[in-house]
Every structure is written in C-alpha cells, then in structure tokens.
C-alpha cells in the first residue's frame, strides 16, 4: 500500500447516462489516488470498476478541485459527466446552485437551473499544439480517412461524421484511432450521425478506458464538430448508448447537462488497499 493511502477508504459510485465513476472525497486531506490505486479500483472483476475516477480536493481559488483518472491508471484532463455528478453532490451538500471547480481544464462553472446541473466545459480548442496534434494541421479536416474533426475539450477528441453511428465497429476502429501517430497524447474517438434537427446519435471510444456508454467532454466535442460541419445549431441533444446528454455551445464555452445517478457509498477493505 502506498504510504499516502489511508488504512480504510470510503468512496461513492455514480454515473451520468451510464458513464460510471468512482468518486473519492479528499477535501481536508492529502490526495490519495495513485496510478496503481486507480488501476486496482478500475478492474471490474477484482476491484470496483469505472470509466473514470474523480477525486475531490480542497481548493484555494475554487469551491473544490477535481482530478480525473482513467481505468488504465493514466490521468484524464477532463470528464464532463463526472464534473456534473460531483457538482450535484456538492450542491446537495451545501444547498447552493452555483459552484466553481478547478480542473486541469481550468476554472469551470457549474449551475443548477430548473433542477438540472449544467457545467461549462470551456471553449473548444482547434490549435494543433493545444489539442495536441503531432504537426501543424487543420483541425477541422484532419488528414485521416473519414475526414474527422479534431477538438480539444480538456481531452483531445477526434470526431467522425458518418451516415450511421450504429454501423461503426467501435471496438476495432476505436483503438486504432486512439493510438494514431497524429495524436501524441492519444485521443478520444467519437462517431456521430444526424437523427433530426439539432439531434445526434453518438458512440464513443475513450482513451485509457475503451467503449463507454457516454462521455461528457466527447458530447461537447461532438456538438462543436456538428456545428462546424453545418449539421446543427449550437444547442444539441445527443443520444448515447447510456442515455441523453445536451450540449450548448455559448459565447463563454460549451455547457453540458444530463442525468445524475448516485448509486452507492462503500468502504474499501484494508486487505484490498494493502495489496495495491
């Protein structure tokens, strides 16, 4: 067991549209998550299982800080659905309807409006160095088969517009695109197809995790790509494998909302932690 890991550790399990998380509250103490602990917890057979792990920390310039980890033990720069879910938790705890959250993406705003928690995931990034890409490229037309759109939303995203997202062999093409040399930090991969006015079908492969039922930052990237390709207006409903998300690209950033599910709270055993 890492010396920073406490002898017992309580966590929460949540999901947003099937995009599931382990949430660890480390406010008032040193952070406890390590790459090894994230991998152990992320194992759906020997641990708990998650798409991402979110750890809360005390912040000086924000209501709290959020760090994100993938199931393979790598860190993620953003996780829209986990941000929404944790914002909901803190709003329930405090009775507040507005929060600031510090992430690797920057200082994010969360608001509860008519019972729905919205999070501003920031402005989309098209600069090749900031996404990042491996060389100067037109992010709106990446030099790959399928003419995808490259978008940075805290994580790199590669969005393909296809006639039918259902027909894509995501298990096959997802890892190939994730590890393409064009993306030095790998990439999330989204496939979208137009269902109707301002409504998209989306499927996603997340770097460091694989196929997931939903992806918040990916939904934001998909909405941006749809606007840039002239498919939709700036407010878009996205149908994902796990449910419905909504993205609204405003002047100050891409706002995201969707369902929040608080599943259970549990404590890891000393034996489990000792084996990490």
């Amino acid at each position: 067991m890492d010396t920073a890991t406490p002898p017992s550790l309580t966590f929460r399990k949540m999901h947003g549209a099937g995009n599931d998380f382990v949430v660890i509250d480390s406010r008032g103490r040193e952070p406890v998550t390590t790459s090894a602990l994230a991998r152990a917890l992320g194992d759906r057979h020997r641990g708990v299982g998650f798409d991402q792990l979110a750890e809360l920390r005390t912040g000086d310039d924000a209501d709290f800080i959020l760090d994100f980890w993938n199931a393979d033990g790598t860190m993620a720069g953003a996780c829209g659905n986990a941000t929404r879910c944790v914002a909901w938790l803190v709003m329930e705890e405090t009775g507040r309807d507005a929060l600031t959250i510090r992430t690797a993406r920057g200082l994010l705003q969360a608001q509860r409006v008519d019972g729905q928690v919205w999070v501003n995931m920031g402005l989309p990034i098209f600069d090749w160095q900031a996404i990042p890409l491996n060389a100067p490229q037109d992010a709106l037309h990446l030099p790959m088969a399928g003419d995808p759109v490259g978008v940075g939303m805290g994580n790199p995203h590669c969005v393909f517009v296809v006639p039918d997202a259902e027909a894509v062999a995501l298990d096959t093409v997802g890892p190939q695109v994730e590890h393409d040399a064009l993306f030095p930090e790998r990439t999330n991969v989204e496939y979208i197809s137009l269902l109707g006015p301002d409504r998209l079908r989306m499927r996603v492969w997340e770097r460091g995790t694989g196929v997931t039922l939903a992806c918040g930052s990916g939904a934001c990237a998909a909405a941006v790509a749809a606007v840039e390709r002239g498919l939709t207006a700036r407010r878009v409903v996205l149908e994902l494998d796990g449910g419905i998300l909504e993205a609204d690209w405003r002047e100050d950033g891409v706002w995201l909302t969707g369902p929040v599910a608080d599943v259970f709270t549990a404590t890891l055993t000393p034996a489990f932690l000792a084996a990490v």
Side-chain angles (χ1 to χ4, degrees):
M1 181 171 60
D2 188 273
T3 55
T5 306
S8 65
L9 187 60
T10 298
F11 68 93
R12 207 153 186 157
K13 188 70 185 287
M14 304 186 75
H15 76 84
N19 192 191
D20 66 328
F21 322 104
V22 161
V23 179
I24 297 174
D25 189 349
S26 291
R27 288 174 294 178
R29 70 180 181 199
E30 291 298 310
V32 300
T33 306
T34 62
S35 180
L37 179 61
R39 286 195 305 272
L41 280 173
D43 189 321
R44 294 190 183 274
H45 300 286
R46 299 177 178 86
V48 177
F50 60 75
D51 292 333
Q52 276 81 34
L53 182 153
E55 183 171 18
L56 290 82
R57 296 192 284 120
T58 302
D60 294 328
D61 65 343
D63 291 306
F64 58 92
I65 299 170
L66 270 182
D67 297 326
F68 304 110
W69 298 78
N70 297 313
D72 67 354
T74 58
M75 293 196 77
C79 185
N81 284 321
T83 304
R84 290 191 306 100
C85 288
V86 174
W88 177 88
L89 273 181
V90 177
M91 287 176 180
E92 292 293 296
E93 170 191 296
T94 62
R96 295 172 56 186
D97 290 324
L99 298 169
T100 56
I101 306 163
R102 172 67 66 185
T103 74
R105 174 74 163 119
L107 189 64
L108 308 183
Q109 307 290 323
Q111 298 176 359
R112 180 156 48 189
V113 181
D114 298 328
Q116 282 189 296
V117 175
W118 288 81
V119 173
N120 184 353
M121 295 298 293
L123 290 167
I125 297 168
F126 301 110
D127 177 74
W128 72 272
Q129 290 177 301
I131 291 177
L133 304 175
N134 67 352
Q137 305 286 353
D138 176 4
L140 299 180
H141 296 278
L142 293 178
M144 301 176 67
D147 185 32
V149 178
V151 185
M153 288 297 313
N155 298 316
H157 293 272
C158 184
V159 185
F160 292 83
V161 179
V162 295
D164 182 7
E166 299 280 356
V168 174
L170 199 54
D171 282 319
T172 300
V173 297
Q176 294 173 356
V177 178
E178 176 191 355
H179 294 278
D180 191 281
L182 184 62
F183 303 99
E185 296 180 6
R186 299 181 295 162
T187 187
N188 290 19
V189 188
E190 290 82 25
Y191 286 85
I192 60 172
S193 51
L194 187 65
L195 295 180
D198 303 327
R199 195 173 190 93
L200 299 171
R201 177 69 171 103
M202 170 181 153
R203 298 177 64 215
V204 58
W205 172 279
E206 294 196 57
R207 64 172 181 171
T209 296
V211 175
T212 59
L213 298 181
C215 174
S217 65
C220 294
V224 168
V227 172
E228 290 294 332
R229 291 293 170 91
L231 299 177
T232 66
R234 286 184 168 232
R235 186 159 178 164
V236 181
V237 173
L238 300 106
E239 295 186 10
L240 295 103
D241 291 344
I244 303 295
L245 297 177
E246 189 170 356
D248 188 2
W249 183 7
R250 306 174 192 171
E251 291 300 317
D252 61 347
V254 186
W255 289 76
L256 174 73
T257 194
V260 171
D262 186 15
V263 184
F264 63 84
T265 300
T267 302
L268 298 169
T269 66
F272 176 87
L273 292 169
V276 173

